[in-house]
Amino acid sequence: MAYERSESTPAGGADTTALALKILVAGGFGVGKTTLVGAVSEIRPLRTEEQLSRAGQSVDDTGGVDRKTTTTVAMDFGRITIRSGLSLYLFGTPGQDRFWFLWDELSQGALGAVVLADTRRLEDCFPAVDYFEHRRIPFVVAVNCFTGARTYGAHDVSRALDLDRGTPVVLCDARDRDSGKEVLIRLVEYAGRVHTARLLDSVG
């Protein structure tokens, strides 16, 4: 979905129209979605985190993320200005399958999505990949390079996830604002090409 908001020019002349695009940030439990949204957001991010409890141990697989103490139960929200007149509204999805019913609501009107992946738990991002492929929502896979984790090339990750031809795979550090911003720029460029191609096909 593209949101438009009018802003007066400094000279008090005609209004200018700014464009805001809706982007989802998805992936498995503990992959770094909240971290990415928080790192790139130029506003104080909205978070809906709760403490992990003993009751959730039977349903939340914390293998590989032993230090994680909280989990997103609804969404994360942030905003970043890519350039003058273009902002992205970021919606981080919850990772556990018991919260996936929220994804349909969050995905309404989204231009595209970032699927964060952890090569130590690569299978955790399969549900997100399947979700966006089936709904024809353009996405990029961003491999969050955790300290100490084995590094794989983009081609290797693409093959392991059996991605459709042309789906971008990028390496990133979810903690780093510049790295996260590059991922988002890559997504906007890719999603723009996909939507343009679909529009041309529909009128061809």
Side-chain angles (χ1 to χ4, degrees):
M1 174 180 290
Y3 305 90
E4 293 182 348
R5 62 181 188 275
S6 295
E7 298 175 345
S8 298
T9 60
D15 286 347
T16 59
T17 300
L19 188 65
L21 304 174
K22 182 179 182 180
I23 302 296
L24 299 186
V25 180
F29 176 66
V31 77
K33 300 180 295 296
T34 298
T35 299
L36 176 64
V37 172
V40 302
S41 181
E42 62 199 15
I43 62 173
R44 183 177 180 179
L46 169 67
R47 293 173 174 166
T48 56
E49 290 195 312
E50 294 292 341
Q51 291 289 321
L52 290 173
S53 65
R54 289 185 177 180
Q57 289 178 353
S58 61
V59 290
D60 292 332
D61 179 11
T62 57
V65 286
D66 300 333
R67 295 183 180 179
K68 186 172 177 61
T69 59
T70 60
T71 184
T72 299
V73 296
M75 68 173 186
D76 299 309
F77 175 77
R79 186 190 71 207
I80 178 174
T81 301
I82 296 297
R83 58 173 172 77
S84 178
L86 176 60
S87 298
L88 304 182
Y89 290 163
L90 309 176
F91 292 80
T93 66
Q96 302 98 307
D97 55 5
R98 69 182 186 276
F99 296 125
W100 284 349
F101 67 93
L102 294 169
W103 286 35
D104 288 339
E105 292 292 332
L106 292 175
S107 64
Q108 289 294 320
L111 174 77
V114 173
V115 175
L116 271 176
D118 178 355
T119 56
R120 300 169 302 178
R121 298 155 50 106
L122 196 58
E123 67 280 0
D124 288 359
C125 71
F126 272 110
V129 169
D130 290 342
Y131 182 91
F132 297 124
E133 284 184 343
H134 291 160
R135 287 160 181 77
R136 302 184 74 227
I137 298 175
F139 67 94
V140 301
V141 173
V143 180
N144 192 8
C145 299
F146 287 89
T147 302
R150 181 178 175 182
T151 302
Y152 293 88
H155 181 65
D156 294 330
V157 173
S158 180
R159 288 182 57 191
L161 293 176
D162 192 26
L163 297 177
D164 290 342
R165 183 180 179 88
T167 302
V169 176
V170 294
L171 306 183
C172 74
D173 182 343
R175 302 166 298 179
D176 183 78
R177 186 176 194 274
D178 289 338
S179 180
K181 185 175 180 179
E182 284 300 315
V183 171
L184 295 171
I185 291 173
R186 183 77 176 272
L187 170 63
V188 171
E189 292 174 343
Y190 173 64
R193 293 194 301 269
V194 170
H195 287 298
T196 298
R198 291 175 182 171
L199 179 62
L200 292 174
D201 286 343
S202 69
V203 299

